[in-house]
Amino acid sequence: MSATSCPPGPVLEIEGVAAPPRANGELVFAEPWESRAFGMAVTLAEAGLFTWDEFRDSLVARIAAWEADHASGEEYRYYRCWLAALEDRVVAAGLLHDAAVAERSARLAERPAGHDHPDDHGHGHGHGHGH
Amino acid sequence: MSKAAPADRLSPALRTEALEQLLVERELVDPAVMDKFIKTYEQDVGPLNGAKVVARAWTDPGYRAWLLRDGTAAIKDMGYGGPQGEHMVVLEQSDEVHHVVVCTLCSCYPWPVLGLPPSWYKDPAYRAGMVRTPRRVLREMGLEVPEGKRIEVWDSSAEVRYLVLPQRPPATEDLDAEALAALVTRDAMVGVAEVAAP
C-alpha cells in the first residue's frame, strides 16, 4: 500500500469513449455492502491499522477455508470471504473485540422493518442494506 | 449457510453495517475517506487506464521497451499507481507464446490499470482451471490458442501484479493511440482474449 491517503489525481481523469470501469459491461460490486466492505479494508490498510499483506493472508485463509468446506450447492461469494477476512484482521489488530460485530449485527437485526436509520451518524451516505 | 455458527447467519449486509458503525464510532474509519476510495474504484479507475498503457506501447517503441523492462515505473509515468500496483510486471504476447494471468489464492489484480476484478476472475473454477488446463479454459472463454503456441500461466504472488500487453491487431496502422486504446479490452489485458481489429 502506498502511504498516501488516496490514489494520485491523474488516475481519476475520465476521458475517451470507453468510460471506465463498466467498459466491459459489468458492475464492480454485486451488492452495496460489498463496496462498504471493500472500502473499509482499503481505508484501514491505508491508515496503517493493519498491512495489506496481513489482510491478504486472512483473505487467502478465508477463501481456502470456504473451498475446503461449504454447504453443497452454496455459491462462492468472494466478498463474503473478504468481509470475514476484514473481521479477522480488525479483531487481530485489537481494534474490536471478537464478539462486537455479532452483537451489533444482532441489535441491528431487531430494527423494525422499514426503519429509518435511528442509529445513523448523520454521514448521509448509503449503507449496504440487503434487506 | 445452514451449518455456519449462529453469528454467521446474520446477513453480510448487516455485519458490514455493524462493522462500519463500530469503526466509525471509534474514529478508526473516516466515512468521507472511505467513500472516496469506494467511488474511486467503483467509478473512476477501470480498464481504460490499462488500455492507454497498451496503446502507448503500441505506438512508442521506446515506451514499450521501458514498460517491459520496468512496468511499475512506466505505468506510473502515465499517472497510474497506488494500491495493488506497486510491483507491476508486463507480459508481451507474441506469435510463439500466449500469456494469461490468474491469482490462485485470492484474486489479486492490478487495480490501478484494470480497476477491480470481474466475477469470473474471482471464480474458483477459473482460478483452479487456468492452472491445470489453460487451453481448455481459454477455449471455454472463447479464445482458441493454436496448438503450436505455448501458453504461460502467471499466478499473481503477494508482491507482483501482471498486465498483459496484447498483440496489436492488423490493419490499425492509421489509428492513433486514442483510437487504439478504445480497441483494447480488459480481457485482453488479463490474457483471456485477443484484441480484435476494428
Side-chain angles (χ1 to χ4, degrees), chain B residues 56-106:
Chain B
R56 184 170 167 196
W58 282 348
T59 53
D60 178 347
Y63 183 76
R64 175 180 154 276
W66 183 23
L67 184 67
L68 294 172
R69 196 174 59 243
D70 184 352
T72 311
I75 288 168
K76 199 157 277 176
D77 186 64
M78 299 280 287
Y80 311 138
Q84 310 297 300
E86 293 94 341
H87 302 285
M88 294 292 309
V89 169
V90 177
L91 311 162
E92 185 177 38
Q93 306 286 39
S94 72
D95 291 338
E96 290 75 41
V97 58
H98 179 88
H99 300 286
V100 61
V101 180
V102 68
C103 176
T104 53
L105 292 179
C106 64

Side-chain angles (χ1 to χ4, degrees), chain A residues 34-72:
Chain A
E34 296 183 351
S35 72
R36 308 308 294 173
F38 167 81
M40 271 187 272
V42 174
T43 306
L44 290 169
E46 285 288 310
L49 292 163
F50 49 71
T51 69
W52 195 257
D53 282 351
E54 289 170 333
F55 176 72
R56 181 182 183 272
D57 288 345
S58 294
L59 181 57
V60 168
R62 282 291 185 168
I63 291 172
W66 187 90
E67 290 180 347
D69 181 26
H70 57 268
S72 68

Side-chain angles (χ1 to χ4, degrees), chain B residues 9-190:
Chain B
R9 279 207 297 273
L10 294 163
S11 77
L14 215 51
R15 292 185 76 89
T16 304
E17 185 183 2
L19 183 59
E20 183 178 347
Q21 279 191 5
L22 292 163
L23 293 172
V24 171
E25 283 167 16
R26 284 159 180 72
E27 299 186 344
L28 296 164
V29 163
D30 178 345
V33 172
M34 180 172 148
D35 286 347
K36 194 170 162 189
F37 274 123
I38 294 169
K39 181 185 172 294
T40 297
Y41 286 102
E42 196 165 32
Q43 298 176 20
D44 302 334
V45 178
L48 182 59
N49 290 355
K52 288 178 180 173
V53 171
V54 168
R56 184 170 167 196
W58 282 348
T59 53
D60 178 347
Y63 183 76
R64 175 180 154 276
W66 183 23
L67 184 67
L68 294 172
R69 196 174 59 243
D70 184 352
T72 311
I75 288 168
K76 199 157 277 176
D77 186 64
M78 299 280 287
Y80 311 138
Q84 310 297 300
E86 293 94 341
H87 302 285
M88 294 292 309
V89 169
V90 177
L91 311 162
E92 185 177 38
Q93 306 286 39
S94 72
D95 291 338
E96 290 75 41
V97 58
H98 179 88
H99 300 286
V100 61
V101 180
V102 68
C103 176
T104 53
L105 292 179
C106 64
S107 312
C108 288
Y109 197 68
W111 297 354
V113 280
L114 295 184
L116 298 179
S119 56
W120 55 259
Y121 185 84
K122 297 174 284 192
D123 194 278
Y126 176 81
R127 292 175 13 244
M130 190 54 85
V131 174
R132 285 200 297 264
T133 55
R135 205 171 294 270
R136 193 170 85 198
V137 174
L138 287 170
R139 187 180 301 125
E140 285 166 2
M141 296 181 82
L143 179 65
E144 193 71 47
V145 180
E147 279 303 323
K149 196 181 224 186
R150 197 170 78 247
I151 298 176
E152 289 196 357
V153 180
W154 297 78
D155 192 356
S156 302
S157 71
E159 288 81 29
V160 178
R161 301 287 180 276
Y162 298 103
L163 178 72
V164 171
L165 175 58
Q167 287 183 291
R168 182 171 174 167
T172 54
E173 296 79 10
D174 296 338
L175 301 183
D176 62 13
E178 192 183 345
L180 287 167
L183 302 177
V184 181
T185 63
R186 172 197 65 202
D187 291 5
M189 293 182 282
V190 179

